[in-house]
Amino acid sequence: MNSKKEAVEINIPTDKGLQTKKKSALEGFSCNTWIWNVWGFCKEDSNRVIFSFKVGLSVLLVSLLILLRAPYEVFGTTNIVWSILTVTIMFEYTVGATFNRGFNRAIGTLLAGILAITVGQLALHVGQAAEPVVIGISIFLIGALTSFMKLWPSFVPYEYGFRVILLTFCLIVVSGYRMGNPTRTAMERLYSIAIGGFIAVFVNVLVFPIWAGDQLYKELVNNFNAVADSLEECVKKYLEDDGLNHPQFSKAVMDEFPDEPAYMKCRATLNSSERMENLAKAAKWEPPHGRFRHFFYPWSGCIKVGAVLRYCAYEVMALHGVLHSEIQAPYNLRITLQTEILDATSHAAELVRSLGKDISNMKRSLKTYLLERVHSSTERLQHAIDIHSYQLTTYSDPLNNSNPVELSQTLSKPNDLADLDGNGVEKNLNIQTRNLPLAQGESCHEKMKKQVRRLHSWPFREVDAFEGEEGIGVEFLPRMRALDSSAALSLATFTSLLIEFVARLDRLVEAVDELAIMARFKREGLQEGSLQHKELNIARS
């Protein structure tokens, strides 16, 4: 809690103030800004514009059945409306999703037509008085049955088909009852729906098709790059941060980090599981095309690779949490492991990007060399942690010119330990302050005051909260040492999370290799014996 209480001012806006705000909001709207936003949205993914034009073309073609006289005289306005409705409902973003929606539409319409004809003929034979009773009971039973069946876990993928059965059955039965010929009504509706479905599939497949398989691979490759970029960005900011410009806790909770675009992409990777599963389900309905030229393509392997990649992304998010935590390791301690951390990070990011590139090019290559580099850099990082382990429990100046072994022996002497309990702490802080680069327009004394005050605040308090305090009492020294130990342990947490990320890369390489075998990627630099051995192991599993 801050030692100073701040006054809270509440402003109640008047009617004049509200009118001023509305006017300023209208003045803030710019047509040019809106046009540039639309242009950026279209430039981000050109398929959005293509999809929009394809939907417009499909609706135009089916509307010609009404606009032209000859088709209008054959079908009439009522039946053509079913074609327009079918196009607007069936037309999906990808070809696979359109096929899936069309299959549900076709099966649902066919079953609804058969049921409607059966109920209509039964109602005609029971007599005119009982006919509405039979139709009403059938509508109730079909509505209850389809609503129950679409909630069954096994039938959830066909939920749209049950909706079509209910809608089509009710409309055909009611229309046939009023028109007196349910069979003819059902057949005319079936023809109209078939025309709309054919136009939707025809345009979606032949006019700049958007394949779900390509979208799935693109999404997967983007996730690989996002994880690698976020890892490098997080480590770079962690090593460059000197702790003086530490973000507020409320800002960290809200995840408002506009200067970290790679982090936003990595967080989007964790939320991409549902989208990837939908793309994989849609891709199963697509015929062989383009790069995917064989039947029964292993789309489930892409989902597995995405799951393992998200498992690695969790570690990156944990690293980001340490980056924006309240307790930070001293800058002088972080730079002692800077070379090893950067080396392990660069090699790990290179391996992740290489795996994404192999998936994008659909090529299979051995990653033995890259894995060895990642493991060797991680071993060097672990060795460096072992050498500086004494600093992770009791912080001392890592930039001292003395040897770490000699420094540890010096700190083990009783007299030095006694000095550290007294004036040694303040002396150590002065050494740290002299080693830090001086900010522009800021004296060494002010720099030392800020660092000392930061070490005394746990949780973090603003520097202004200490203004007016006359020095630091002796009762704060135990708290200083406790905070120093916790701050140093945050570096151990960061490095251990980085090592855990590298450990999870082995499983990621195995998952990509399994996908390459099942999807028959092109071979690059593979030995035939090792390839057959891996394929045999996967076949056995």
Side-chain angles (χ1 to χ4, degrees):
M1 298 294 294
N2 291 341
S3 59
K4 296 183 180 180
K5 295 183 179 180
E6 299 180 357
V8 179
E9 181 179 358
I10 301 177
N11 295 324
I12 302 177
T14 60
D15 295 339
K16 185 177 180 180
L18 293 175
Q19 293 177 0
T20 305
K21 288 184 178 180
K22 290 181 180 179
K23 183 181 292 186
S24 62
L26 293 175
E27 292 177 354
F29 175 77
S30 175
C31 183
N32 293 332
T33 304
W34 181 80
I35 292 176
W36 280 110
N37 291 336
V38 174
W39 172 255
F41 179 76
C42 297
K43 190 177 180 180
E44 184 180 358
D45 188 0
S46 59
N47 289 331
R48 296 166 179 169
V49 181
I50 296 175
F51 170 73
S52 303
F53 281 106
K54 286 165 62 176
V55 173
L57 178 61
S58 301
V59 176
L60 173 62
L61 292 177
V62 75
S63 299
L64 291 177
L65 299 177
I66 297 178
L67 299 177
L68 300 180
R69 182 175 297 274
Y72 174 74
E73 293 177 353
V74 175
F75 296 98
T77 306
T78 306
N79 294 326
I80 296 303
V81 169
W82 283 82
S83 299
I84 300 175
L85 182 64
T86 301
V87 169
T88 55
I89 292 178
M90 273 188 55
F91 210 100
E92 293 290 336
Y93 186 76
T94 61
V95 176
T98 301
F99 274 113
N100 186 11
R101 185 62 68 93
F103 174 78
N104 284 273
R105 179 76 176 176
I107 297 299
T109 303
L110 183 61
L111 293 177
I114 294 174
L115 292 174
I117 293 174
T118 303
V119 172
Q121 294 297 329
L122 179 62
L124 291 176
H125 287 83
V126 297
Q128 187 174 2
E131 184 177 0
V133 178
V134 174
I135 293 177
I137 294 175
S138 64
I139 291 176
F140 170 77
L141 293 178
I142 294 298
L145 183 61
T146 54
S147 300
F148 177 79
M149 293 297 293
K150 71 181 182 182
L151 298 177
W152 195 264
S154 302
F155 296 140
V156 169
Y158 309 102
E159 185 265 345
Y160 173 70
F162 290 106
R163 289 181 181 270
V164 171
I165 292 175
L166 178 59
L167 175 64
T168 307
F169 174 80
C170 294
L171 294 178
I172 291 178
V173 167
V174 174
S175 299
Y177 171 73
R178 289 301 180 186
M179 295 180 181
N181 192 349
T183 303
R184 180 182 176 181
T185 303
M187 296 304 297
E188 290 178 352
R189 301 291 170 82
L190 290 176
Y191 292 151
S192 301
I193 293 173
I195 292 174
F198 175 77
I199 292 177
V201 172
F202 179 83
V203 174
N204 207 343
V205 174
L206 299 183
V207 181
F208 298 103
I210 303 174
W211 302 101
D214 292 335
Q215 295 293 318
L216 177 59
Y217 265 65
K218 182 180 178 181
E219 182 80 13
L220 188 59
V221 173
N222 291 337
N223 290 344
F224 271 89
N225 295 331
V227 171
D229 294 342
S230 181
L231 176 65
E232 290 182 336
E233 180 184 74
C234 180
V235 172
K236 181 180 178 181
K237 289 182 68 67
Y238 183 79
L239 295 177
E240 291 179 352
D241 184 19
D242 57 0
L244 297 178
N245 297 323
H246 195 262
Q248 293 292 333
F249 182 70
S250 59
K251 179 180 178 182
V253 171
M254 296 301 294
D255 285 339
E256 297 176 357
F257 305 106
D259 58 336
E260 300 178 13
Y263 161 73
M264 305 300 294
K265 295 181 181 179
C266 183
R267 190 175 65 173
T269 300
L270 299 178
N271 301 327
S272 64
S273 58
E274 184 177 359
R275 171 175 168 78
M276 293 186 63
E277 289 177 0
N278 293 334
L279 289 174
K281 292 177 182 177
K284 293 179 181 178
W285 291 89
E286 296 178 347
H289 63 279
R291 300 184 299 171
F292 315 104
R293 298 179 180 177
H294 55 273
F295 292 93
F296 306 106
Y297 195 85
W299 302 111
S300 58
C302 298
I303 301 300
K304 183 178 181 181
V305 172
V308 178
L309 181 62
R310 287 192 299 273
Y311 191 63
C312 298
Y314 290 137
E315 293 298 326
V316 179
M317 298 300 291
L319 288 171
H320 191 273
V322 176
L323 171 63
H324 293 282
S325 62
E326 286 295 300
I327 302 176
Q328 292 289 333
Y331 177 70
N332 291 348
L333 182 59
R334 272 179 279 177
I335 63 176
T336 57
L337 304 177
Q338 180 178 7
T339 304
E340 291 79 7
I341 292 177
L342 289 177
D343 192 25
T345 301
S346 61
H347 292 162
E350 181 183 0
L351 177 59
V352 174
R353 291 193 181 96
S354 178
L355 293 174
K357 185 178 180 180
D358 286 350
I359 294 177
S360 177
N361 299 330
M362 299 187 69
K363 295 181 180 180
R364 184 184 174 202
S365 59
L366 288 177
K367 295 294 182 292
T368 305
Y369 174 68
L370 292 178
L371 277 175
E372 289 179 354
R373 290 178 60 186
V374 172
H375 291 165
S376 61
S377 61
T378 307
E379 290 177 359
R380 289 194 296 270
L381 175 59
Q382 184 64 56
H383 183 64
I385 294 174
D386 295 339
I387 293 177
H388 299 87
S389 60
Y390 67 94
Q391 293 178 313
L392 302 180
T393 55
T394 302
Y395 173 68
S396 61
D397 187 11
L399 291 182
N400 197 344
N401 295 327
S402 60
N403 193 1
V405 178
E406 297 176 359
L407 182 60
S408 62
Q409 294 176 357
T410 304
L411 291 176
S412 62
K413 295 180 180 181
N415 296 331
D416 293 339
L417 291 176
D419 293 338
L420 286 177
D421 291 336
N423 299 327
V425 175
E426 297 180 357
K427 186 184 299 183
N428 191 19
L429 291 174
N430 294 331
I431 296 175
Q432 298 174 28
T433 307
R434 288 196 299 270
N435 290 328
L436 287 174
L438 292 180
Q440 186 176 2
E442 189 174 29
S443 64
C444 178
H445 180 67
E446 293 177 351
K447 192 79 170 181
M448 181 186 67
K449 286 175 61 179
K450 285 187 177 181
Q451 186 173 5
V452 170
R453 289 169 180 174
R454 179 171 179 80
L455 288 175
H456 280 76
S457 60
W458 188 24
F460 174 67
R461 285 192 288 172
E462 293 289 344
V463 175
D464 296 338
F466 292 95
E467 294 296 338
E469 296 180 4
E470 299 178 356
I472 301 172
V474 181
E475 64 273 7
F476 288 101
L477 294 180
R479 186 179 179 183
M480 287 178 58
R481 289 191 293 270
L483 180 57
D484 287 344
S485 299
S486 300
L489 286 177
S490 67
L491 177 61
T493 303
F494 189 87
T495 54
S496 63
L497 289 174
L498 180 60
I499 294 174
E500 177 64 22
F501 176 83
V502 173
R504 296 186 180 189
L505 290 182
D506 293 338
R507 186 67 189 94
L508 183 61
V509 172
E510 294 178 2
V512 174
D513 196 44
E514 292 177 4
L515 174 63
I517 294 175
M518 293 186 296
R520 305 174 189 175
F521 285 0
K522 295 180 181 180
R523 307 172 184 177
E524 283 189 356
L526 293 176
Q527 298 179 358
E528 191 67 25
S530 61
L531 176 62
Q532 294 179 356
H533 180 68
K534 291 184 177 181
E535 291 179 349
L536 182 60
N537 292 336
I538 293 178
R540 290 178 178 176
S541 60

